[in-house]
Amino acid sequence: NKRMETILPLKPTLLSEMQISESAYFDLLTNEEVPFYTDVIGNNYVPTNLFQIHLSNPDWNDAEEGYAKIYLGAQYKSLNGTAVLNDNSETGTCNLIILADDEIIYNQPYDRTTIPQAINLDVTDKQWIEFKITYPEDNSSYVSNILLSGFCLSK
């Protein structure tokens, strides 16, 4: 007599539920100030599991590249979400880089004409993931902010 079991799909873990081990200029956005955030092409994002990663101008004294490091412990298979520029400067480009165990698995330029980018990455057997924002080497751009919307990890 075989026992039948229902296999339920594993619920993805939201990035906002993960412990961020180390970060700078990487903020979980809330609706305390505004009910939604708008990207450069006019899409609105409700502040639920919504992060902003920030980059300040290299000519400023407080030049900083935003980043966040999150421990995965080889527990997940994929990282999924949407990234888009959220910036009030008129020009400029920045790069969003995602690393897994110090290896670049995503590196894309973002400017004010970049439509929201669906990101689906394999993180199987990875211990650490890092989000990072930088300037292109040939660009002394203005302040740049990227929204990370709906990012989650699946087993």
Side-chain angles (χ1 to χ4, degrees):
N1 188 1
K2 286 187 176 179
R3 187 173 156 215
M4 298 296 288
E5 291 185 23
T6 302
I7 307 295
L8 297 174
L10 292 172
K11 182 179 165 225
T13 301
L14 302 180
L15 191 61
S16 59
E17 297 171 339
M18 299 292 290
Q19 176 68 42
I20 297 173
S21 299
E22 185 180 308
S23 69
Y25 298 99
F26 187 82
D27 303 305
L28 178 62
L29 300 180
T30 66
N31 65 354
E32 292 170 7
E33 295 178 22
V34 293
F36 57 84
Y37 292 80
T38 305
D39 67 21
V40 294
I41 60 172
N43 294 316
N44 293 330
Y45 298 84
V46 176
T48 303
N49 193 33
L50 181 66
F51 288 86
Q52 179 170 268
I53 188 168
H54 173 80
L55 181 63
S56 65
N57 192 296
D59 295 332
W60 299 346
N61 291 332
D62 64 345
E64 281 288 339
E65 295 180 345
Y67 75 97
K69 293 181 180 179
I70 299 159
Y71 182 65
L72 302 181
Q75 297 295 309
Y76 300 94
K77 291 191 184 322
S78 65
L79 172 72
N80 304 297
T82 301
V84 66
L85 199 68
N86 170 31
D87 189 64
N88 58 8
S89 63
E90 293 181 9
T91 61
T93 303
C94 59
N95 285 351
L96 177 62
I97 299 169
I98 302 174
L99 302 99
D101 292 344
D102 295 323
E103 176 187 332
I104 294 174
I105 60 173
Y106 181 87
N107 184 359
Q108 290 297 319
Y110 282 73
D111 65 25
R112 295 183 63 78
T113 64
T114 304
I115 62 171
Q117 300 293 301
I119 297 174
N120 303 296
L121 301 171
D122 182 3
V123 294
T124 304
D125 297 328
K126 301 300 182 186
Q127 297 292 327
W128 289 92
I129 191 154
E130 180 178 359
F131 292 87
K132 191 173 174 182
I133 185 171
T134 66
Y135 287 112
E137 296 199 9
D138 61 348
N139 189 343
S140 59
S141 187
Y142 291 102
V143 174
S144 296
N145 302 305
I146 290 181
L147 290 178
L148 301 174
S149 176
F151 271 83
C152 60
L153 291 148
S154 301
K155 293 188 175 188

